Amino acid sequence: MKKLLLSCFIFFSMTVSAWDHESGSFTVSSLRFGAGVVYVALSPAPAGCEGGNQYRMHLKVNDTDPQAYKDMVAGLLSAHATGQRIRSIWNSNKGKCDAQNILRLDMFEFAPK
């Protein structure tokens, strides 16, 4: 049991450390929906995009966990509709955003009101 818990902790630590974190004051400027995927544009653009974008978008919502995906999409829709600011984002798939690459949004945090 101890080995299993230790293995889970190590895996989680490695997964979280693979995420890049950006703090700031972002707004959801645009959302694009299609083929079971939601793309997001933030203002200002995340630094992780290195000044680029994929057809005006910066992030693709991580869809590996269906419940987390639904929760994040609901939160992004709410932020877009109300102007709620986002304080932090955690993303992966780092590299310049372009036609072949886009950041994957793994987690975000609303700014306090």
Side-chain angles (χ1 to χ4, degrees), residues 12-111:
F12 180 75
S13 296
M14 289 171 47
T15 302
V16 171
S17 67
W19 293 346
D20 289 311
H21 172 259
E22 288 188 44
S23 292
S25 183
F26 303 102
T27 58
V28 177
S29 58
S30 184
L31 294 164
R32 183 170 63 227
F33 299 82
V37 180
V38 176
Y39 296 92
V40 183
L42 296 179
S43 181
C49 271
E50 300 174 11
N53 64 71
Q54 187 184 80
Y55 308 106
R56 299 170 307 283
M57 299 294 140
H58 304 116
L59 300 139
K60 173 184 166 184
V61 179
N62 185 340
D63 62 354
T64 57
D65 178 336
Q67 187 59 53
Y69 175 79
K70 289 177 186 176
D71 292 344
M72 284 196 293
V73 170
L76 292 167
L77 282 167
S78 172
H80 186 260
T82 66
Q84 171 67 46
R85 300 190 76 70
I86 294 174
R87 175 186 6 207
S88 295
I89 59 171
W90 289 263
N91 60 76
S92 50
N93 203 35
K94 188 175 181 177
K96 183 172 179 143
C97 296
D98 58 24
Q100 287 74 42
N101 189 64
I102 192 163
L103 301 177
R104 186 176 63 225
L105 181 62
D106 297 303
M107 187 167 49
F108 68 91
E109 177 182 350
F110 287 130

